[in-house]
Amino acid sequence: MKIKALNGFKDIVPGEVELWQKVENTARDIFSRFNFSEIRMPILEKTDLFARSIGEATDIVEKEMYTFIDKQITMRPEATASLIRAYIQHGLHVQKPVQRLFTIGPMFRHERPQKGRLRQFHQMDAEVLGTATPRVDSEIMAMGAMLLQELGITVSLEMNSLGCPACRPGFREKLLHFIEERMDKLCDNCKRRSKTNPLRVLDCKNPRCREEVEEAPSILEHLCADCDEHFTQVQKGLQDLDVQYSLNKFMVRGLDYYTRTTFEFITEDLGSQAAVGAGGRYDGLVEKLGGPKVPGIGFALGMERLILLLQQQEDVETDSATVDIFVASLGDTASEFAFPLVHALRQKGLLTAMDHEGRSLKSQMKQANKASAKFVLILGENELEQGQAVLKNMATQEQQDIAILSDNNEMASSLLERCQ
RNA sequence: GUGGGUGUAGCUCAGUUGGUGGUAGCACCUGGUUGUGACCCAGGAGGUCGUGGGUUCAAGUCCCAUCACUCACCCCA
C-alpha cells in the first residue's frame, strides 16, 4: 500500500514551485512598496480565538476546523484572527499607532476539496490596524488590484458596505420583513438562512431566489450618516487612484466580524471559485479579542486560485535557476580533481553542477544542456596530463583551452572571470 | 454531508462484439567508432490494468462493492 498525501493536501513540486515563487516574490515586492511589514504567526492557536473572531455560528467554526478536541487547539482556518492575536499580545499598537502588516502561509479547513479549494490552502494576507480613515480602504483595494495586475491576472473588483452596529440592525429588520413576505418562493437553503443569517439570502446563487431578492432593500440606502460618508469617501479614493470597481449590494461576507467596507476580487475563469481575494473592514474585532479599541481592515488572496489563473495563461515567465558552469570529467583522476574544484566554484558564487555517476561525456553534455548550463568545463585524461582544460560556451559552441592551476581557489577565480 | 464523472507506465493517453498489456507520445537510460549538448535514428528499462468479490473456458473490457481522484452543490480565499 503506497502512502499518499491526504485528500485535499498537495505537494508543490519543481516545475510548479517556480510559479509559487513568482507569486510570492511579486507580492512581497508590492506589499513592501506600500510600506507593509511581514509578520509570521504559528499555525496552531487556541480554538477559542477562532470561535470568537470568525463567529460561533459560521460554517468554518461549526464544521470545517481541524481541531485537537482534547487540547482545545485548532489549525488556523484563516490568518486575520491570529494576526490580531499577535498584534495585541506584543502591544504593536503602542509601538506604532498604525500598523501595516502582511503574512503568507498555509490555512486549514476541512471542506470537500474541489477546483481552487483544498484542505490545506495558502493565503497572502494584508491588514492595516489602527486607522478608520476611508483612504486606507481605498489604498488597500488599490494594492490588491496592483498586485493582481502585476501578475497579469484580470479580475473585477466588487464592493459593498455592511454598515456598522448603529445601522445594520435596522436594515436587518427591514430585510427580514421583506424575506418573510416571500418566504414560500425561496429555496430551502434560504429559508434556513433567513433565520441564521438573513443577509446571506441576498447572495444566494439560485436564479429564482435572485429574482425574488432583486427588489430587496439595499443596505446602501440604510447606512447611517457616518457609514454613508465613509463609503462615499472610499469610492472617491478609488477614483482618485484610478481603480476600477463596481458596487454589488448583494455582496455579504461569511465571517461575522466584517463592518462597513467589504470587497471581492472576482474572476470568471475558475468555475465556482469566483473569489480570488476578498476582505473588508472589521472595526470591532480587535476590541472583541481583548485588545485596544482600534479599527482594522484587511484582505486575503487565495494563492491556489492565483496559481490556477496563471497556469491558464500562455507563456507565463518564471525565472528558474540555470547552471552557470557544468564540470564534465572523464575518468577517476579527472573526477577527483573536479570534485573540490566544483566546491571552490560554488564558494565563488557560481551555480555549479557535475555528474558523480561516471557517465559518458555525451551524457554529461546532455545533462549540461538540459540544465541550460552556460558553460561546460571539460576535464579529460589528456587535459590533465597537458595541464589544460577545455571551456565550452554552450550558446556559441566556442571552445577555448585554459590552463589548469593546482590551486582550486585560483582556478575557480580564473573560471569566474571567463564565465561572466 | 449530497450528487455526477474518471481510475491502464513517472506524465498524457490507445486498447474493437470479452480472446496473449501498447514498436503510442513526453520524460528516463544506453548506443549511433578514439572524448562534445539541442535535431534525428536504433535499442532498453519501466505495469498487481485503483482494490476486493462475482459472471465466464477466458475479464483492462460485463456486474456488484469499495477506495481514490475530480467537478458541482454547500461554504469560502
Side-chain angles (χ1 to χ4, degrees):
Chain A
M1 185 69 181
K2 276 189 213 166
I3 297 179
K4 293 198 291 189
L6 293 170
N7 188 13
F9 290 71
K10 286 268 185 297
D11 300 305
I12 302 168
V13 295
E16 196 188 353
V17 78
E18 291 78 9
L19 221 41
W20 285 77
Q21 290 165 345
K22 179 196 170 91
V23 169
E24 285 168 16
N25 293 340
T26 307
R28 285 172 192 285
D29 178 35
I30 298 286
F31 291 153
S32 141
R33 282 190 229 173
F34 279 78
N35 195 27
F36 279 66
S37 305
E38 183 172 8
I39 180 169
R40 304 188 192 192
M41 296 83 63
I43 285 164
L44 278 173
E45 297 275 2
K46 287 221 173 107
T47 304
D48 191 43
L49 171 65
F50 303 117
R52 276 163 63 187
S53 60
I54 298 169
E56 297 271 8
T58 57
D59 279 14
I60 294 177
V61 171
E62 263 183 2
K63 53 194 181 191
E64 294 173 359
M65 297 206 300
Y66 281 91
T67 296
F68 298 80
I69 295 168
D70 56 329
K71 299 186 174 66
Q72 285 298 302
I73 54 180
T74 292
M75 292 165 80
R76 62 182 186 195
E78 55 114 40
T80 305
S82 305
L83 187 141
I84 290 173
R85 196 266 311 137
Y87 170 85
I88 296 168
Q89 180 174 336
H90 301 285
L92 298 186
H93 58 290
V94 178
Q95 298 176 29
K96 216 199 279 185
V98 179
Q99 286 280 358
R100 300 157 77 91
L101 301 166
F102 79 90
T103 192
I104 300 175
M107 311 293 157
F108 304 84
R109 291 183 202 173
H110 191 100
E111 300 177 274
R112 194 71 167 265
Q114 66 189 70
K115 188 177 188 182
R117 192 176 79 184
L118 295 175
R119 288 181 173 174
Q120 176 178 334
F121 61 105
H122 299 78
Q123 288 189 341
M124 303 190 295
D125 217 78
E127 316 277 349
V128 180
L129 295 161
T131 175
T133 174
R135 272 207 183 163
V136 171
D137 301 39
S138 314
E139 196 181 22
I140 209 166
M141 281 184 261
M143 179 170 77
M146 190 185 287
L147 171 51
L148 291 162
Q149 190 185 5
E150 193 101 343
L151 287 170
I153 291 171
T154 309
V155 294
S156 54
L157 171 60
E158 295 190 358
M159 185 174 52
N160 194 16
S161 175
L162 296 182
C164 67
C167 51
R168 206 190 312 184
F171 168 71
R172 195 186 156 107
E173 283 303 310
K174 266 195 182 153
L175 179 65
L176 210 48
H177 186 68
F178 176 88
I179 291 172
E180 273 162 5
E181 284 177 347
R182 293 159 181 77
M183 190 67 95
D184 51 333
K185 290 176 184 158
L186 298 175
C187 71
D188 290 348
N189 266 317
C190 285
K191 285 175 185 153
R192 178 178 55 80
R193 275 190 291 226
S194 65
K195 295 194 175 58
T196 56
N197 189 349
L199 266 66
R200 291 219 70 90
V201 175
L202 291 176
D203 74 342
C204 182
K205 281 155 196 137
N206 184 315
R208 280 195 57 195
C209 294
R210 289 215 152 186
E211 217 171 287
E212 284 302 320
V213 302
E214 187 61 39
E215 298 301 317
S218 166
I219 177 97
L220 296 180
E221 283 150 23
H222 295 78
L223 294 176
C224 61
D226 286 350
C227 286
D228 192 50
E229 171 62 13
H230 184 91
F231 197 55
T232 302
Q233 289 303 316
V234 171
Q235 292 182 68
K236 180 179 179 297
L238 286 174
Q239 285 154 19
D240 289 346
L241 300 182
D242 216 12
V243 175
Q244 302 297 310
Y245 69 93
S246 58
L247 297 183
N248 178 356
K249 65 174 181 174
F250 297 127
M251 189 178 70
V252 298
R253 309 265 60 225
L255 284 57
D256 284 357
Y257 53 62
Y258 285 110
T259 57
R260 288 192 169 170
T261 313
T262 59
F263 56 95
E264 289 185 5
F265 293 103
I266 294 180
T267 176
E268 290 173 1
D269 302 328
L270 279 183
S272 60
Q273 265 58 44
V276 174
R281 186 161 275 288
Y282 43 84
D283 288 344
L285 182 58
V286 178
E287 189 182 12
K288 190 174 175 187
L289 290 177
K293 190 173 178 178
V294 296
I297 180 169
F299 75 104
L301 291 162
M303 293 184 71
E304 277 77 7
R305 296 177 185 181
L306 293 176
I307 301 289
L308 282 169
L309 288 172
L310 287 175
Q311 284 172 337
Q312 283 176 16
Q313 298 175 10
E314 304 293 319
D315 56 277
V316 180
E317 281 180 33
T318 56
D319 30 77
S320 52
T322 59
V323 168
D324 292 317
I325 180 164
F326 189 102
V327 178
S329 58
L330 286 148
D332 291 344
T333 317
S335 176
E336 273 181 40
F337 179 82
F339 187 47
L341 175 61
V342 164
H343 194 65
L345 286 163
R346 288 170 176 163
Q347 283 174 322
K348 295 284 176 202
L350 288 176
L351 200 173
T352 313
M354 75 173 284
D355 171 77
H356 296 297
E357 315 303 322
R359 292 190 214 274
S360 68
L361 179 60
K362 177 174 180 164
S363 170
Q364 294 186 59
M365 293 300 291
K366 274 191 183 176
Q367 289 175 56
N369 186 59
K370 204 162 176 208
S372 311
K374 301 180 189 85
F375 291 88
V376 175
L377 182 72
I378 302 170
L379 290 165
E381 309 285 338
N382 303 345
E383 279 83 359
L384 277 183
E385 279 172 27
Q386 293 159 21
Q388 296 256 297
V390 175
L391 184 66
K392 176 166 188 170
N393 181 320
M394 293 294 275
T396 65
Q397 302 188 53
E398 283 174 299
Q399 299 198 164
Q400 54 175 316
D401 290 341
I402 62 168
I404 291 179
L405 307 174
S406 56
D407 185 296
N408 278 323
N409 192 34
E410 287 173 24
M411 180 82 187
S413 296
S414 150
L415 285 166
L416 179 60
E417 270 174 43
R418 290 164 199 271
C419 290
Q420 294 305 325

